Amino acid sequence: DGGITQSPKYLFRKEGQNVTLSCEQNLNHDAMYWYRQDPGQGLRLIYYSQIVNDFQKGDIAEGYSVSREKKESFPLTVTSAQKNPTAFYLCASSMGRGLAKNIQYFGAGTRLSVL
Amino acid sequence: AQSVTQLGSHVSVSEGALVLLRCNYSSSVPPYLFWYVQYPNQGLQLLLKYTTGATLVKGINGFEAEFKKSETSFHLTKPSAHMSDAAEYFCAVSVPSGAQKLVFGQGTRLTINP
């Protein structure tokens, strides 16, 4: 089955710890995205990547880092600089070209909590 | 810059009643518009999209939406609500060119009363 896989489903972070959220897609999509979801605030863009080895900051990039070494993978690291990391994190991908380039497909999410 | 406003963070309707979820957008260029649905603790699923052409678009699960440029609106409707429609709904906008980013509204939680 083609799709986007996020892992783990639940993650706990200790004070001062960096944690990494995994996002893998087998849709052969060029573009990938990370969003943060907080109650009542919709989804906010953290980082996005339109092509391998390139990525751009979104609206709330502070305290986060990403890499895009492979087309199918776009891991997100929540660093200790992110003081309020508790949220639901969603990864998405899109074709990046053609008429369907703006249609984003989402993974099932990772819920991050602070211990 | 684009923005989206969803009127009403919570909407409650009776089973069998009309569902109307409101979305207004702001965009300096002709936008692409989307509605997504999210069930508890899950990702987002695309309901429908408007890109170009016919302004009334039909989606999955009996939902439809109409793009009204003069009103900068893209309201989501369903003639008869079903219990399984209970979820959170997000309206989103993007521009056809550029970085393909989506800007989301704050979401509307739909509750269906038996």
Side-chain angles (χ1 to χ4, degrees), chain B residues 49-80:
Chain B
K49 64 184 186 297
Y50 169 79
T51 53
T52 58
T55 56
L56 181 63
V57 294
K58 296 186 184 299
I60 62 172
N61 301 339
F63 285 94
E64 62 182 38
E66 186 171 10
F67 169 60
K68 292 188 177 181
K69 183 179 178 181
S70 61
E71 299 177 9
T72 60
S73 69
F74 191 57
H75 302 331
L76 181 71
T77 60
K78 181 174 180 177
S80 178

Side-chain angles (χ1 to χ4, degrees), chain B residues 2 6 13 17 20 22 24 26-27 31 33 37-39 43 56 76 93-94 96 100 104 109:
Chain B
Q2 294 77 41
Q6 291 184 238
V13 302
L20 171 60
R22 299 178 188 274
N24 287 89
S26 173
S27 177
L33 295 159
V37 61
Q38 184 182 35
Y39 299 100
L56 181 63
L76 181 71
V93 63
S94 73
Q100 309 145 35
F104 286 87
R109 183 167 300 279

Side-chain angles (χ1 to χ4, degrees), chain A residues 9-10 31 33 35 37 40-43 45 48 50 88 90 94 96-97 99 101-109 111, chain B residues 32 34 36 38 41-46 49 51-52 88 90 94-107:
Chain A
K9 191 172 179 63
Y10 298 96
Y33 311 81
Y35 293 91
Q37 185 178 19
Q41 295 193 44
L43 280 72
L45 183 63
Y48 64 102
Q50 294 177 272
F88 192 49
L90 288 161
S94 68
R97 60 188 183 281
L99 289 176
K101 67 180 180 180
N102 292 73
I103 300 174
Q104 294 186 17
Y105 298 89
F106 285 79
R111 188 165 297 282
Chain B
Y32 286 178
F34 306 83
Y36 283 87
Q38 184 182 35
N41 293 312
Q42 295 186 27
L44 274 65
Q45 180 183 6
L46 181 66
K49 64 184 186 297
T51 53
T52 58
E88 188 146 24
F90 292 93
S94 73
V95 292
S97 61
Q100 309 145 35
K101 295 186 291 182
L102 285 179
V103 175
F104 286 87
Q106 293 169 309

